[in-house]
Amino acid sequence: SPTLSGIRQHMTRVSPGPVPTSPVRQAAVAIVLRGPDARPELLFIERAQREGDPWSGHMAFPGGRVADADASPRQAAERETFEEVGLSLATADYLGHLASIEGSRRFQQGDLLISAHVYHLPEPGPLVLDCREVREAFWFPVADLLAPDRHVAHATPQAREYSFPGICVGHPERHVVWGLTYRLLDLFLGAIERPLPERRIGLRELAE
């Protein structure tokens, strides 16, 4: 099973790649870990249902768009995490960041570049949710993300004719990680040498 010390070691070897030089819209998320070492957990949020939000109701990592006042995507991830779940990352151990990915054009996110920043908080304290943006937030063991019985085919209202690879982390009707967050999670697990099965987000199946 993945350990916190192992994750920390693997993250020191991650090369996030070049930063784009052309102007694009940017967003950033925080992948937040808490101990213990033998069974670390990740923080997930269930986004609130909001009209106009392309990730409305999705499972996600805390984060959002980079604002003009943000000095960097990392600062945006930290600001959004505090605003959404009341969690300060000011004293967190910053483990590094992953390669940036582009948002899916299927959901009109084209030209949006998303970066993921990894943190460890030994004792994060209680979560305080902004109910306008977050319906629920909880911690989930990294090891359980790899359990085969949690890997499901996920259909969406936006594309009912297809199903997408997903991971059930709670209620099967609400708490399925898929799409953008699945891709970010795939990057993270690949970086710590615990890759997801060879069933990438680009592979679509006809839903039965």
Side-chain angles (χ1 to χ4, degrees):
S1 296
T3 63
L4 184 59
S5 54
I7 291 170
R8 186 186 302 275
Q9 185 176 16
H10 284 302
M11 285 300 301
T12 64
R13 298 196 288 268
V14 171
S15 176
V19 177
T21 55
S22 58
V24 293
R25 294 180 301 149
Q26 293 190 68
V29 303
I31 297 179
V32 186
L33 293 151
R34 70 175 184 182
D37 182 75
R39 193 168 170 79
E41 298 177 322
L42 282 178
L43 177 63
F44 286 105
I45 66 170
E46 179 190 4
R47 298 185 65 84
Q49 296 284 347
R50 290 175 53 187
E51 188 175 348
D53 179 3
W55 299 293
S56 175
H58 291 195
M59 292 303 298
F61 296 116
R65 302 288 176 90
V66 178
D68 292 339
D70 293 321
S72 64
R74 173 181 169 181
Q75 187 178 89
E78 295 176 5
R79 173 184 55 78
E80 288 279 354
T81 299
F82 184 73
E83 292 175 0
E84 291 180 345
V85 296
L87 201 60
S88 173
L89 298 174
T91 60
D93 189 6
Y94 183 66
L95 304 186
H97 66 108
L98 306 171
S100 299
I101 64 173
E102 290 186 17
S104 170
R105 294 182 183 277
R106 171 178 288 275
F107 300 110
Q108 300 180 343
Q109 300 156 9
D111 85 345
L112 180 66
L113 200 67
I114 304 106
S115 60
H117 300 262
V118 185
Y119 300 83
H120 172 239
L121 271 175
E123 298 179 4
L127 302 174
V128 181
L129 309 188
D130 178 353
C131 296
R132 296 168 300 176
E133 297 198 51
V134 180
R135 180 178 179 183
E136 191 173 350
F138 53 85
W139 300 90
F140 191 83
V142 176
D144 290 358
L145 294 168
L146 304 171
D149 61 351
R150 292 195 172 273
H151 292 230
V152 298
H154 181 70
T156 74
Q158 299 97 326
R160 293 183 183 277
E161 70 273 26
Y162 297 112
S163 63
F164 298 83
I167 303 174
C168 183
V169 295
H171 193 289
E173 298 296 324
R174 288 170 47 193
H175 301 145
V176 175
V177 175
W178 71 282
L180 175 62
T181 303
Y182 183 97
R183 293 166 60 199
L184 291 167
L185 186 59
D186 190 21
L187 273 181
F188 171 70
L189 293 174
I192 66 171
E193 298 186 2
R194 294 291 194 279
L196 289 171
E198 291 293 330
R199 196 160 168 255
R200 297 293 184 248
I201 193 63
L203 177 64
R204 296 177 297 179
E205 301 172 306
L206 285 175
E208 295 182 0

